[in-house]
């Protein structure tokens, strides 16, 4: 699924609302994770803290009624893109770093780590690291062949 710009803005808005609960301050609030739950039946996107306290909620029209059996994998790239666009806001949030933004299912199990925020370093995901590793392997192989 490739989300529309409107959907990406909706996702960013609900995450931004959630981050509003943690304004920047000299003393960051301790927290380990921000959880995002997407419901494919209702289209609700719920953002909560690591103690399952709801921080924000919105209905994403493109998610509602989605009958795809691989729903979470289908929305993963869109969620990562939306969260990735919010780097500055994530770093500025009054949350003790490092913290993760996780996509969770209805049972609260982690489906994917969308984003890891560490002080001034932001790591998107393991996929990015694998791509860099593959690129380096290919470069070295090509270099050795020459």
């Amino acid at each position: 699924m490739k989300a529309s710009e409107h959907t990406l803005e909706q996702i960013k808005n609900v995450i931004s609302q959630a981050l509003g609960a943690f304004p920047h301050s000299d003393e960051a609030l301790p927290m380990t994770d921000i959880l995002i739950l997407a419901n494919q039946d209702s289209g609700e996107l719920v953002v909560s803290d690591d103690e399952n306290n709801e921080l924000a909620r919105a209905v994403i029209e493109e998610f509602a009624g989605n009958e795809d059996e691989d729903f979470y994998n289908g929305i993963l790239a869109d969620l990562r893109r939306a969260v990735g666009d919010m780097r500055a806001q994530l770093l500025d949030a009054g949350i003790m770093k490092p913290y993760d933004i996780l996509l969770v299912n209805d049972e609260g199990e982690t489906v994917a780590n969308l984003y890891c925020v560490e002080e001034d370093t932001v790591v998107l995901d393991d996929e990015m690291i694998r791509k860099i590793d593959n690129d380096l392997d290919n470069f070295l192989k090509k270099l050795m062949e020459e």
Side-chain angles (χ1 to χ4, degrees):
M1 177 178 142
K2 179 145 174 60
S4 68
E5 286 302 316
H6 175 70
T7 295
L8 291 173
E9 286 304 314
Q10 286 182 302
I11 294 168
K12 290 179 199 176
N13 286 339
V14 73
I15 294 170
S16 183
Q17 288 174 14
L19 292 175
F22 308 101
H24 182 75
S25 67
D26 291 336
E27 287 193 34
L29 297 172
M31 189 163 92
T32 56
D33 299 319
I34 292 178
L35 310 176
I36 298 178
L37 169 66
N39 184 304
Q40 71 187 92
D41 295 325
S42 67
E44 284 186 316
L45 190 68
V46 179
V47 181
S48 59
D49 64 16
D50 58 346
E51 293 181 2
N52 289 323
N53 297 312
E54 185 176 312
L55 303 172
R57 174 185 297 256
V59 174
I60 310 297
E61 294 93 20
E62 285 188 45
F63 293 178
N66 185 320
E67 296 181 11
D68 186 1
E69 288 182 29
D70 204 18
F71 173 70
Y72 290 115
N73 286 330
I75 65 170
L76 201 53
D78 297 323
L79 290 172
R80 283 189 172 133
R81 180 174 164 208
V83 172
D85 288 348
M86 301 179 70
R87 287 180 193 155
Q89 197 173 358
L90 294 169
L91 286 169
D92 196 45
I95 302 170
M96 189 178 300
K97 292 159 187 70
Y99 70 94
D100 293 318
I101 299 179
L102 305 172
L103 175 62
V104 297
N105 62 19
D106 293 332
E107 288 81 40
E109 299 167 338
T110 300
V111 174
N113 187 337
L114 300 173
Y115 214 77
C116 177
V117 182
E118 295 184 67
E119 290 309 319
D120 293 329
T121 303
V122 180
V123 178
L124 289 176
D125 59 37
D126 292 333
E127 181 69 23
M128 184 173 114
I129 294 168
R130 279 192 292 266
K131 286 181 182 178
I132 291 170
D133 192 39
N134 287 340
D135 288 345
L136 182 58
D137 288 344
N138 290 338
F139 171 75
L140 291 174
K141 182 179 178 183
K142 192 174 187 177
L143 190 61
M144 296 298 284
E145 289 173 355
E146 293 175 0

